[in-house]
Every structure is written in C-alpha cells, then in structure tokens.
Coordinates of all heavy atoms in Angstrom, one line a residue:
A17 N 10.0 -9.7 0.3 CA 9.4 -10.5 1.3 C 9.8 -11.9 1.1 O 10.2 -12.6 2.1 CB 7.9 -10.4 1.4
A18 N 9.8 -12.4 -0.1 CA 10.2 -13.8 -0.4 C 11.6 -14.0 -0.1 O 12.0 -15.1 0.4 CB 9.9 -14.1 -1.9
I19 N 12.5 -13.1 -0.4 CA 13.9 -13.2 -0.1 C 14.1 -13.4 1.4 O 14.9 -14.2 1.8 CB 14.7 -12.0 -0.7 CG1 14.7 -12.0 -2.2 CG2 16.2 -12.1 -0.2 CD1 15.2 -10.7 -2.8
A20 N 13.5 -12.5 2.2 CA 13.6 -12.5 3.6 C 13.1 -13.8 4.2 O 13.7 -14.5 5.0 CB 12.9 -11.3 4.2
L21 N 11.9 -14.3 3.7 CA 11.4 -15.5 4.2 C 12.2 -16.7 3.9 O 12.5 -17.6 4.7 CB 9.9 -15.7 3.7 CG 9.2 -17.0 4.1 CD1 9.1 -17.0 5.7 CD2 7.9 -17.1 3.5
T22 N 12.7 -16.8 2.6 CA 13.6 -17.9 2.2 C 14.9 -17.9 3.1 O 15.3 -19.0 3.6 CB 14.0 -17.8 0.8 OG1 12.8 -17.8 0.0 CG2 14.9 -18.9 0.3
S23 N 15.4 -16.7 3.3 CA 16.6 -16.7 4.1 C 16.4 -17.1 5.5 O 17.1 -17.9 6.1 CB 17.2 -15.3 4.1 OG 18.4 -15.2 4.9
A24 N 15.2 -16.7 6.1 CA 14.9 -17.1 7.5 C 14.6 -18.6 7.6 O 15.0 -19.2 8.6 CB 13.7 -16.3 8.0
L25 N 13.9 -19.1 6.6 CA 13.7 -20.6 6.6 C 15.0 -21.4 6.6 O 15.1 -22.4 7.3 CB 12.8 -21.0 5.4 CG 11.3 -20.6 5.5 CD1 10.7 -20.7 4.1 CD2 10.6 -21.6 6.5
L26 N 15.9 -20.9 5.8 CA 17.2 -21.6 5.7 C 18.0 -21.5 7.0 O 18.6 -22.4 7.5 CB 18.0 -21.1 4.5 CG 17.5 -21.4 3.1 CD1 18.2 -20.7 2.0 CD2 17.5 -23.0 2.9
M27 N 18.0 -20.3 7.5 CA 18.7 -20.0 8.8 C 18.1 -20.8 9.9 O 18.8 -21.3 10.8 CB 18.7 -18.5 9.1 CG 19.5 -17.7 8.2 SD 19.3 -15.9 8.4 CE 19.9 -15.7 10.0
A28 N 16.8 -20.9 10.0 CA 16.1 -21.6 11.1 C 16.2 -23.1 10.9 O 16.1 -23.9 11.8 CB 14.6 -21.2 11.1
N29 N 16.4 -23.6 9.6 CA 16.4 -25.0 9.3 C 15.2 -25.7 9.8 O 15.2 -26.8 10.4 CB 17.7 -25.7 9.9 CG 17.9 -27.0 9.2 OD1 17.5 -27.3 8.1 ND2 18.6 -27.9 9.9
S30 N 14.1 -24.9 9.7 CA 12.8 -25.4 10.2 C 11.7 -24.6 9.6 O 11.9 -23.5 9.0 CB 12.8 -25.1 11.8 OG 11.5 -25.3 12.3
T31 N 10.5 -25.1 9.6 CA 9.3 -24.4 9.1 C 8.4 -24.0 10.3 O 7.3 -23.5 10.1 CB 8.5 -25.3 8.1 OG1 8.1 -26.5 8.7 CG2 9.3 -25.5 6.8
D32 N 8.9 -24.3 11.5 CA 8.1 -23.9 12.7 C 8.0 -22.3 12.8 O 9.1 -21.7 12.7 CB 8.8 -24.4 14.0 CG 8.0 -24.0 15.2 OD1 7.0 -24.7 15.6 OD2 8.4 -23.0 15.8
P33 N 6.8 -21.8 12.9 CA 6.7 -20.3 12.8 C 7.5 -19.6 13.9 O 8.1 -18.5 13.6 CB 5.2 -20.1 13.1 CG 4.6 -21.3 12.6 CD 5.5 -22.4 12.9
D34 N 7.7 -20.1 15.1 CA 8.5 -19.5 16.1 C 10.0 -19.5 15.7 O 10.7 -18.5 15.9 CB 8.3 -20.2 17.5 CG 6.9 -20.0 18.0 OD1 6.3 -18.9 17.7 OD2 6.4 -20.8 18.8
D35 N 10.4 -20.6 15.1 CA 11.8 -20.6 14.7 C 12.1 -19.7 13.6 O 13.1 -19.0 13.6 CB 12.2 -22.1 14.3 CG 12.2 -23.1 15.4 OD1 12.2 -22.7 16.6 OD2 12.1 -24.3 15.1
V36 N 11.2 -19.6 12.6 CA 11.3 -18.7 11.5 C 11.3 -17.3 11.9 O 12.1 -16.5 11.5 CB 10.3 -19.1 10.4 CG1 10.4 -18.1 9.2 CG2 10.5 -20.5 9.9
N37 N 10.4 -17.0 12.8 CA 10.2 -15.6 13.4 C 11.5 -15.2 14.0 O 12.0 -14.1 13.8 CB 9.0 -15.6 14.3 CG 8.7 -14.2 14.7 OD1 9.1 -13.2 14.1 ND2 7.9 -14.1 15.8
A38 N 12.1 -16.0 14.8 CA 13.4 -15.7 15.5 C 14.5 -15.5 14.5 O 15.3 -14.6 14.6 CB 13.7 -16.8 16.5
A39 N 14.5 -16.4 13.5 CA 15.6 -16.3 12.5 C 15.4 -15.0 11.6 O 16.4 -14.4 11.2 CB 15.6 -17.5 11.6
M40 N 14.2 -14.5 11.5 CA 13.9 -13.3 10.6 C 14.7 -12.1 11.2 O 15.2 -11.3 10.4 CB 12.4 -13.0 10.6 CG 12.0 -11.9 9.7 SD 12.2 -12.3 8.0 CE 10.7 -13.2 7.7
R41 N 14.9 -12.1 12.5 CA 15.6 -10.9 13.1 C 17.1 -11.0 12.7 O 17.8 -10.0 12.9 CB 15.4 -10.9 14.6 CG 14.1 -10.2 15.0 CD 13.2 -11.2 15.6 NE 12.0 -10.6 16.1 CZ 10.8 -10.7 15.5 NH1 10.7 -11.3 14.3 NH2 9.7 -10.1 16.0
E42 N 17.6 -12.1 12.3 CA 19.0 -12.3 11.9 C 19.2 -12.1 10.4 O 20.4 -12.1 10.0 CB 19.5 -13.6 12.4 CG 19.3 -13.9 13.9 CD 20.0 -12.8 14.7 OE1 21.1 -12.4 14.4 OE2 19.3 -12.4 15.7
V43 N 18.2 -11.9 9.6 CA 18.3 -11.8 8.2 C 19.1 -10.6 7.8 O 18.9 -9.5 8.4 CB 17.0 -11.8 7.5 CG1 17.1 -11.4 6.0 CG2 16.3 -13.1 7.6
Y44 N 20.1 -10.7 6.9 CA 20.9 -9.6 6.4 C 21.3 -10.0 5.0 O 22.3 -10.6 4.8 CB 22.1 -9.3 7.3 CG 22.8 -8.1 7.0 CD1 22.3 -6.8 7.3 CD2 24.1 -8.1 6.3 CE1 23.0 -5.7 7.0 CE2 24.7 -6.9 6.0 CZ 24.2 -5.7 6.4 OH 24.9 -4.6 6.1
E45 N 20.4 -9.7 4.1 CA 20.5 -10.2 2.7 C 20.5 -9.1 1.7 O 19.7 -8.1 1.8 CB 19.4 -11.2 2.4 CG 19.4 -12.5 3.1 CD 20.5 -13.4 2.6 OE1 20.9 -13.4 1.4 OE2 21.0 -14.2 3.4
P46 N 21.3 -9.2 0.6 CA 21.2 -8.2 -0.4 C 19.9 -8.5 -1.2 O 19.5 -9.6 -1.3 CB 22.4 -8.5 -1.3 CG 22.8 -9.9 -1.0 CD 22.3 -10.2 0.4
S47 N 19.3 -7.4 -1.7 CA 18.1 -7.5 -2.5 C 18.0 -6.4 -3.5 O 18.9 -5.5 -3.5 CB 16.9 -7.5 -1.6 OG 16.6 -6.2 -1.2
F48 N 17.0 -6.4 -4.3 CA 16.7 -5.4 -5.3 C 16.6 -4.0 -4.6 O 17.0 -3.0 -5.1 CB 15.4 -5.7 -6.0 CG 14.9 -4.6 -6.9 CD1 15.4 -4.5 -8.2 CD2 13.9 -3.8 -6.5 CE1 15.0 -3.5 -9.0 CE2 13.4 -2.8 -7.3 CZ 14.0 -2.7 -8.6
Y49 N 16.1 -4.0 -3.4 CA 15.9 -2.7 -2.6 C 17.1 -2.3 -1.8 O 17.1 -1.3 -1.2 CB 14.7 -2.9 -1.7 CG 13.4 -3.1 -2.4 CD1 12.8 -4.4 -2.4 CD2 12.8 -2.1 -3.0 CE1 11.6 -4.6 -3.0 CE2 11.5 -2.3 -3.7 CZ 11.0 -3.6 -3.7 OH 9.8 -3.8 -4.3
G50 N 18.1 -3.1 -1.8 CA 19.3 -2.9 -0.9 C 19.3 -4.0 0.1 O 18.7 -5.0 0.0
R51 N 20.1 -3.8 1.2 CA 20.2 -4.8 2.2 C 18.9 -5.0 3.0 O 18.4 -4.0 3.5 CB 21.3 -4.5 3.2 CG 22.7 -4.6 2.6 CD 23.2 -6.0 3.0 NE 24.5 -6.2 2.4 CZ 25.0 -7.3 2.0 NH1 24.3 -8.4 2.1 NH2 26.2 -7.4 1.5
L52 N 18.4 -6.2 3.1 CA 17.3 -6.5 3.9 C 17.7 -6.9 5.3 O 18.6 -7.8 5.5 CB 16.5 -7.7 3.4 CG 15.6 -7.5 2.1 CD1 15.1 -8.8 1.6 CD2 14.6 -6.5 2.4
S53 N 17.2 -6.2 6.3 CA 17.5 -6.6 7.7 C 16.3 -6.1 8.5 O 15.6 -5.2 8.1 CB 18.8 -6.0 8.2 OG 18.8 -4.6 8.1
F54 N 16.2 -6.6 9.7 CA 15.1 -6.4 10.6 C 15.5 -6.0 12.0 O 16.5 -6.6 12.5 CB 14.1 -7.6 10.6 CG 13.6 -7.9 9.2 CD1 14.3 -8.8 8.4 CD2 12.5 -7.3 8.7 CE1 13.9 -9.0 7.1 CE2 12.0 -7.6 7.4 CZ 12.7 -8.5 6.6
D55 N 14.7 -5.2 12.7 CA 15.1 -4.9 14.1 C 14.5 -5.9 15.0 O 13.9 -6.9 14.6 CB 14.6 -3.5 14.4 CG 13.1 -3.3 14.4 OD1 12.3 -4.3 14.4 OD2 12.6 -2.2 14.4
S56 N 14.7 -5.7 16.3 CA 14.2 -6.7 17.3 C 12.7 -6.9 17.3 O 12.2 -7.9 17.8 CB 14.7 -6.4 18.7 OG 14.2 -5.1 19.1
Y57 N 12.0 -6.0 16.7 CA 10.5 -6.1 16.6 C 10.0 -6.7 15.3 O 8.9 -6.9 15.1 CB 9.8 -4.7 16.8 CG 10.1 -4.1 18.2 CD1 11.0 -3.1 18.3 CD2 9.4 -4.6 19.3 CE1 11.3 -2.6 19.5 CE2 9.6 -4.0 20.5 CZ 10.6 -3.0 20.6 OH 10.8 -2.5 21.9
G58 N 11.0 -7.0 14.4 CA 10.7 -7.6 13.2 C 10.3 -6.6 12.1 O 9.9 -7.0 11.0
R59 N 10.6 -5.3 12.3 CA 10.3 -4.3 11.3 C 11.6 -4.1 10.5 O 12.7 -4.2 10.9 CB 10.0 -3.0 12.0 CG 8.7 -3.0 12.8 CD 8.5 -1.7 13.5 NE 9.6 -1.4 14.4 CZ 9.5 -0.7 15.5 NH1 8.3 -0.2 15.9 NH2 10.5 -0.6 16.4
A60 N 11.3 -3.9 9.2 CA 12.4 -3.7 8.3 C 13.2 -2.5 8.7 O 12.7 -1.4 9.0 CB 11.9 -3.6 6.8
K61 N 14.5 -2.6 8.6 CA 15.4 -1.5 8.9 C 15.6 -0.7 7.6 O 15.5 -1.2 6.5 CB 16.8 -2.0 9.4 CG 16.8 -2.6 10.8 CD 18.2 -3.0 11.1 CE 18.3 -3.6 12.5 NZ 19.7 -4.1 12.8
G62 N 15.9 0.6 7.7 CA 16.1 1.4 6.5 C 14.8 1.8 5.9 O 13.7 1.5 6.4
S63 N 14.9 2.5 4.8 CA 13.7 2.9 4.1 C 13.9 2.5 2.7 O 14.9 2.4 2.1 CB 13.5 4.4 4.2 OG 14.6 5.1 3.6
M64 N 12.7 2.3 2.0 CA 12.7 2.0 0.6 C 11.8 3.1 -0.1 O 10.9 3.6 0.5 CB 12.0 0.6 0.5 CG 12.8 -0.5 1.0 SD 12.0 -2.1 0.7 CE 11.7 -2.6 2.4
L65 N 12.2 3.4 -1.3 CA 11.5 4.3 -2.1 C 10.4 3.6 -2.9 O 10.6 2.5 -3.3 CB 12.4 5.0 -3.1 CG 13.5 5.9 -2.5 CD1 14.3 6.5 -3.6 CD2 12.8 7.1 -1.7
S66 N 9.3 4.2 -3.0 CA 8.2 3.7 -3.9 C 8.1 4.7 -5.0 O 8.0 5.9 -4.8 CB 6.9 3.6 -3.2 OG 6.9 2.6 -2.2
L67 N 8.1 4.2 -6.2 CA 8.1 5.0 -7.4 C 6.8 4.8 -8.2 O 6.3 3.7 -8.2 CB 9.3 4.7 -8.3 CG 10.7 4.9 -7.7 CD1 11.8 4.4 -8.7 CD2 11.0 6.3 -7.3
Q68 N 6.4 5.8 -8.9 CA 5.3 5.7 -9.9 C 5.8 6.5 -11.1 O 6.5 7.5 -11.0 CB 4.0 6.2 -9.4 CG 3.2 5.2 -8.6 CD 1.8 5.6 -8.3 OE1 1.5 6.8 -8.3 NE2 0.9 4.7 -8.2
L69 N 5.2 6.2 -12.3 CA 5.5 7.0 -13.5 C 4.4 8.1 -13.5 O 3.2 7.8 -13.3 CB 5.4 6.1 -14.7 CG 6.4 5.0 -14.8 CD1 6.3 4.2 -16.1 CD2 7.9 5.5 -14.7
D70 N 4.9 9.3 -13.9 CA 3.9 10.4 -14.0 C 3.3 10.3 -15.4 O 3.6 9.4 -16.2 CB 4.5 11.7 -13.7 CG 5.7 12.2 -14.6 OD1 5.8 11.6 -15.7 OD2 6.4 13.1 -14.3
E71 N 2.5 11.3 -15.8 CA 1.8 11.3 -17.1 C 2.8 11.5 -18.3 O 2.4 11.2 -19.4 CB 0.8 12.4 -17.1 CG 1.3 13.9 -17.0 CD 1.5 14.3 -15.5 OE1 1.1 13.5 -14.6 OE2 2.1 15.3 -15.3
R72 N 4.0 11.9 -18.0 CA 5.1 11.9 -19.0 C 6.0 10.7 -19.0 O 7.0 10.7 -19.6 CB 5.9 13.2 -18.8 CG 5.1 14.5 -19.1 CD 5.9 15.8 -18.8 NE 6.6 15.8 -17.5 CZ 6.1 16.1 -16.3 NH1 4.8 16.4 -16.2 NH2 6.8 16.1 -15.2
T73 N 5.5 9.7 -18.2 CA 6.3 8.4 -18.0 C 7.6 8.7 -17.4 O 8.6 7.9 -17.6 CB 6.4 7.6 -19.3 OG1 7.2 8.2 -20.2 CG2 5.0 7.2 -19.9
E74 N 7.8 9.7 -16.6 CA 9.0 9.9 -15.8 C 8.8 9.4 -14.4 O 7.7 9.5 -13.8 CB 9.3 11.4 -15.8 CG 9.7 12.0 -17.2 CD 9.9 13.5 -17.2 OE1 9.9 14.1 -16.1 OE2 10.1 14.0 -18.3
R75 N 9.9 8.8 -13.9 CA 9.8 8.2 -12.5 C 9.7 9.3 -11.5 O 10.4 10.3 -11.5 CB 11.0 7.4 -12.2 CG 11.1 6.1 -13.0 CD 12.3 5.3 -12.6 NE 13.5 6.1 -13.0 CZ 14.4 5.8 -13.9 NH1 14.3 4.6 -14.5 NH2 15.4 6.5 -14.1
Q76 N 8.7 9.1 -10.5 CA 8.5 10.1 -9.4 C 8.5 9.3 -8.1 O 7.9 8.2 -8.1 CB 7.2 10.9 -9.6 CG 7.1 11.7 -10.9 CD 8.1 12.8 -10.9 OE1 8.5 13.4 -9.9 NE2 8.6 13.2 -12.1
I77 N 9.1 9.9 -7.1 CA 9.0 9.2 -5.8 C 7.6 9.5 -5.1 O 7.2 10.7 -5.1 CB 10.1 9.8 -4.9 CG1 11.5 9.5 -5.5 CG2 10.0 9.2 -3.4 CD1 12.6 10.2 -4.8
V78 N 7.0 8.5 -4.6 CA 5.7 8.7 -4.0 C 5.7 8.3 -2.5 O 4.8 8.7 -1.7 CB 4.5 7.9 -4.7 CG1 4.3 8.5 -6.1 CG2 4.8 6.5 -4.7
A79 N 6.8 7.6 -2.1 CA 7.0 7.3 -0.7 C 8.4 7.0 -0.4 O 9.1 6.5 -1.3 CB 6.2 6.1 -0.3
P80 N 9.0 7.4 0.7 CA 8.3 8.0 1.9 C 7.9 9.5 1.6 O 8.4 10.1 0.7 CB 9.3 8.0 3.0 CG 10.6 8.0 2.3 CD 10.4 7.3 1.0
L81 N 6.9 9.9 2.3 CA 6.3 11.3 2.1 C 7.4 12.3 2.2 O 7.3 13.3 1.5 CB 5.2 11.5 3.0 CG 3.9 10.7 2.8 CD1 2.9 11.0 3.9 CD2 3.4 10.9 1.4
S82 N 8.4 12.1 3.0 CA 9.4 13.1 3.2 C 10.3 13.3 2.0 O 10.9 14.4 1.8 CB 10.3 12.8 4.4 OG 11.0 11.6 4.1
A83 N 10.3 12.4 1.0 CA 11.0 12.5 -0.2 C 10.1 12.5 -1.4 O 10.7 12.6 -2.5 CB 12.0 11.3 -0.3
A84 N 8.8 12.5 -1.3 CA 7.9 12.4 -2.4 C 8.0 13.6 -3.3 O 8.1 14.8 -2.9 CB 6.5 12.3 -1.9
S85 N 8.0 13.3 -4.6 CA 8.0 14.4 -5.6 C 6.6 14.5 -6.3 O 6.4 15.4 -7.1 CB 9.1 14.1 -6.7 OG 8.9 12.8 -7.3
M86 N 5.7 13.6 -5.9 CA 4.3 13.7 -6.3 C 3.5 12.8 -5.4 O 4.0 12.0 -4.7 CB 4.1 13.3 -7.8 CG 4.2 11.9 -8.1 SD 3.8 11.5 -9.9 CE 2.6 10.2 -9.7
G87 N 2.2 13.0 -5.4 CA 1.3 12.2 -4.6 C 1.1 10.8 -5.3 O 1.2 10.7 -6.6
M88 N 0.8 9.8 -4.6 CA 0.5 8.5 -5.2 C -0.8 8.5 -5.9 O -1.8 9.1 -5.5 CB 0.4 7.4 -4.1 CG 0.3 6.0 -4.6 SD 0.3 4.8 -3.3 CE 1.9 4.9 -2.7
V89 N -0.8 7.9 -7.1 CA -2.0 7.8 -7.9 C -2.5 6.4 -7.8 O -1.9 5.4 -8.1 CB -1.7 8.0 -9.4 CG1 -2.9 7.9 -10.3 CG2 -1.1 9.4 -9.6
Y90 N -3.8 6.3 -7.2 CA -4.4 5.0 -7.0 C -5.9 5.1 -7.3 O -6.5 6.0 -6.9 CB -4.2 4.5 -5.6 CG -4.8 3.1 -5.4 CD1 -4.1 2.0 -5.8 CD2 -6.1 2.9 -4.9 CE1 -4.6 0.7 -5.6 CE2 -6.6 1.7 -4.8 CZ -5.9 0.6 -5.1 OH -6.4 -0.7 -5.0
P91 N -6.4 4.2 -8.1 CA -5.7 3.1 -8.8 C -4.9 3.7 -9.9 O -5.2 4.7 -10.5 CB -6.9 2.2 -9.3 CG -8.0 3.2 -9.5 CD -7.9 4.2 -8.4
A92 N -3.8 3.0 -10.2 CA -2.9 3.4 -11.3 C -3.6 3.3 -12.6 O -4.5 2.4 -12.8 CB -1.7 2.5 -11.3
P93 N -3.3 4.2 -13.6 CA -3.9 4.1 -14.9 C -3.6 2.7 -15.6 O -2.5 2.2 -15.3 CB -3.3 5.2 -15.7 CG -2.7 6.1 -14.7 CD -2.4 5.3 -13.5
T94 N -4.4 2.3 -16.5 CA -4.1 1.1 -17.3 C -2.9 1.4 -18.2 O -2.6 2.5 -18.4 CB -5.3 0.6 -18.1 OG1 -5.5 1.7 -19.1 CG2 -6.6 0.4 -17.3
Y95 N -2.3 0.3 -18.7 CA -1.1 0.5 -19.6 C -1.6 1.2 -20.8 O -0.9 2.1 -21.4 CB -0.4 -0.8 -19.9 CG 0.4 -1.3 -18.8 CD1 0.0 -2.3 -17.9 CD2 1.6 -0.6 -18.4 CE1 0.8 -2.7 -16.8 CE2 2.4 -1.0 -17.4 CZ 2.0 -2.0 -16.6 OH 2.7 -2.4 -15.5
A96 N -2.8 0.9 -21.3 CA -3.3 1.6 -22.5 C -3.5 3.1 -22.3 O -3.2 3.9 -23.1 CB -4.6 0.9 -23.0
Q97 N -4.0 3.4 -21.1 CA -4.2 4.8 -20.7 C -2.9 5.5 -20.5 O -2.8 6.6 -21.0 CB -5.1 4.8 -19.4 CG -5.5 6.2 -19.1 CD -6.4 6.2 -17.9 OE1 -6.4 5.3 -17.0 NE2 -7.3 7.3 -17.8
R98 N -1.9 4.8 -20.0 CA -0.6 5.4 -19.8 C 0.0 5.8 -21.2 O 0.6 6.8 -21.4 CB 0.4 4.5 -19.1 CG 0.0 4.3 -17.7 CD 0.9 3.2 -17.0 NE 0.3 2.7 -15.8 CZ 0.9 1.9 -15.0 NH1 2.1 1.5 -15.2 NH2 0.2 1.4 -14.0
T99 N -0.1 4.9 -22.1 CA 0.4 5.1 -23.5 C -0.3 6.3 -24.1 O 0.4 7.2 -24.7 CB 0.2 3.8 -24.4 OG1 0.9 2.7 -23.8 CG2 0.7 4.1 -25.8
C100 N -1.6 6.4 -24.0 CA -2.4 7.5 -24.5 C -1.9 8.8 -23.8 O -1.7 9.8 -24.5 CB -3.9 7.3 -24.2 SG -4.9 8.6 -24.7
L101 N -1.7 8.8 -22.5 CA -1.3 10.0 -21.8 C 0.1 10.4 -22.2 O 0.4 11.6 -22.4 CB -1.4 9.8 -20.3 CG -2.7 9.6 -19.6 CD1 -2.6 9.1 -18.2 CD2 -3.4 11.0 -19.6
A102 N 1.0 9.5 -22.3 CA 2.4 9.8 -22.7 C 2.5 10.4 -24.0 O 3.3 11.2 -24.3 CB 3.3 8.5 -22.5
A103 N 1.7 9.9 -25.0 CA 1.7 10.4 -26.3 C 0.8 11.7 -26.5 O 0.8 12.2 -27.6 CB 1.2 9.3 -27.3
A104 N 0.1 12.0 -25.5 CA -0.7 13.2 -25.5 C -1.7 13.1 -26.7 O -1.9 14.0 -27.4 CB 0.0 14.5 -25.6
L105 N -2.3 11.9 -26.9 CA -3.2 11.6 -28.0 C -4.4 12.5 -28.0 O -4.9 12.8 -29.1 CB -3.5 10.1 -28.0 CG -2.3 9.2 -28.3 CD1 -2.8 7.7 -28.2 CD2 -1.6 9.5 -29.6
C106 N -4.9 12.8 -26.9 CA -6.2 13.5 -26.8 C -6.0 15.0 -26.9 O -7.0 15.7 -27.3 CB -6.9 13.2 -25.5 SG -7.3 11.4 -25.4
G107 N -4.9 15.5 -26.6 CA -4.7 17.0 -26.7 C -5.7 17.7 -25.9 O -6.0 17.4 -24.8
E108 N -6.3 18.7 -26.5 CA -7.3 19.5 -25.9 C -8.7 19.0 -26.1 O -9.7 19.6 -25.7 CB -7.3 21.0 -26.4 CG -5.9 21.7 -26.2 CD -5.6 21.9 -24.7 OE1 -6.6 22.3 -24.0 OE2 -4.5 21.7 -24.3
R109 N -8.8 17.8 -26.8 CA -10.2 17.3 -27.2 C -10.9 16.5 -26.1 O -12.0 16.3 -26.2 CB -10.0 16.4 -28.5 CG -9.5 17.2 -29.7 CD -9.3 16.2 -30.8 NE -8.2 15.3 -30.5 CZ -8.2 14.0 -30.8 NH1 -9.2 13.5 -31.4 NH2 -7.1 13.3 -30.5
G110 N -10.1 16.1 -25.2 CA -10.7 15.2 -24.1 C -9.7 14.6 -23.2 O -8.6 15.1 -23.1
A111 N -10.0 13.4 -22.7 CA -9.2 12.8 -21.8 C -9.0 11.3 -22.2 O -9.8 10.7 -22.9 CB -9.8 12.8 -20.4
C112 N -7.8 10.7 -21.8 CA -7.6 9.3 -22.1 C -8.4 8.4 -21.3 O -8.3 8.5 -20.0 CB -6.1 9.0 -22.0 SG -5.0 9.9 -23.1
G113 N -9.2 7.5 -21.9 CA -10.0 6.6 -21.1 C -9.1 5.3 -20.8 O -8.0 5.2 -21.2
A114 N -9.7 4.4 -19.9 CA -9.0 3.2 -19.5 C -8.5 2.4 -20.7 O -7.6 1.7 -20.6 CB -9.8 2.5 -18.5
S115 N -9.3 2.4 -21.8 CA -9.0 1.6 -23.0 C -7.9 2.2 -23.8 O -7.5 1.6 -24.7 CB -10.3 1.4 -23.8 OG -10.6 2.7 -24.3
G116 N -7.5 3.4 -23.5 CA -6.4 4.1 -24.2 C -7.0 5.0 -25.4 O -6.2 5.6 -26.1
H117 N -8.3 5.1 -25.5 CA -8.9 5.9 -26.5 C -9.4 7.2 -25.8 O -9.7 7.3 -24.6 CB -10.2 5.2 -27.1 CG -9.7 3.9 -27.8 ND1 -9.7 2.7 -27.2 CD2 -9.4 3.8 -29.1 CE1 -9.3 1.8 -28.1 NE2 -9.1 2.4 -29.3
C118 N -9.5 8.2 -26.7 CA -9.9 9.6 -26.2 C -11.3 9.6 -25.9 O -12.2 9.0 -26.6 CB -9.6 10.6 -27.2 SG -7.8 10.9 -27.5
V119 N -11.7 10.2 -24.8 CA -13.1 10.4 -24.4 C -13.3 11.9 -24.5 O -12.7 12.6 -23.7 CB -13.3 9.9 -22.9 CG1 -14.8 10.1 -22.5 CG2 -13.0 8.4 -22.8
C120 N -14.2 12.3 -25.4 CA -14.5 13.7 -25.6 C -15.2 14.3 -24.3 O -16.0 13.7 -23.7 CB -15.4 13.9 -26.8 SG -14.6 13.4 -28.3
E121 N -14.8 15.5 -24.1 CA -15.4 16.2 -22.9 C -16.4 17.2 -23.4 O -16.5 17.6 -24.5 CB -14.3 17.0 -22.2 CG -13.3 16.0 -21.5 CD -12.2 16.8 -20.7 OE1 -12.0 17.9 -20.9 OE2 -11.6 16.1 -19.9

C-alpha cells in the first residue's frame, strides 16, 4: 500500500485526494508481491497469495481460497508457541500454551 501511495503522490505531484486518487489508477510499480496496478475502480489487479506457517513451520497458502492448502489460523500462535509446536515439545502430554510451555491435559 505504501509503495502504491508513494507512486501515486509522485505521479500526481500533489497531496490533493482527488489528484492522488486519479493517479492511483495509473500506478504500475514493481513490488514484493509482483507488479502493483489498479483497475478503473481502484481495485488491485491480479491476485496475491497469503501465506501462514503450519505447525511444522512449513509455508501454506491460506488465500485466495481457490489455491488454499489450509485454512487461515486466527489469531496466529505466539512465536513462543510456534517454537514449542515445531519442536513437538509437549508430545502426548499436553498442548503448547501461548508462553511456549506445555499445558497438561
């Protein structure tokens, strides 16, 4: 979003919202996600993948749904909990808590 806005501000040579809005439709910039460009309604062209790490810390596609390899996990586990899950620290004894420690069941 910041890349698109910066590009539109430079193209418009203005901070007037109407000028920036009009320039946004002309944005065509390389980015981390690929080329950023917008249609005449201001919607992003193309699709972007959203990824999450699974319990084995492997990347999984969660969006778009047509390409999803797993459902989105929200809220995401804490980093301590992810470390616990990835190392399988709790085994059959319980579950990894938000602090990264095993919680007995």
Side-chain angles (χ1 to χ4, degrees):
I19 293 169
L21 180 58
T22 300
S23 182
L25 284 164
L26 292 171
M27 291 169 65
N29 196 27
S30 168
T31 57
D32 179 84
D34 292 332
D35 294 340
V36 175
N37 191 17
M40 187 68 82
R41 278 114 176 103
E42 304 302 320
V43 169
Y44 189 73
E45 291 289 329
S47 77
F48 173 78
Y49 297 105
R51 287 266 180 211
L52 284 176
S53 60
F54 301 89
D55 66 16
S56 61
Y57 296 102
R59 295 179 298 211
K61 290 182 182 177
S63 63
M64 294 183 241
L65 294 177
S66 293
L67 303 174
Q68 279 192 329
L69 298 179
D70 64 16
E71 62 278 352
R72 295 177 310 279
T73 67
E74 295 176 3
R75 290 181 298 243
Q76 300 293 330
I77 299 169
V78 295
L81 293 177
S82 61
S85 56
M86 73 176 233
M88 184 177 293
V89 177
Y90 183 83
T94 64
Y95 284 105
Q97 189 175 24
R98 292 176 201 187
T99 300
C100 177
L101 290 167
L105 296 177
C106 298
E108 300 294 321
R109 299 177 293 140
C112 297
S115 66
H117 295 92
C118 293
V119 178
C120 294
E121 294 181 340

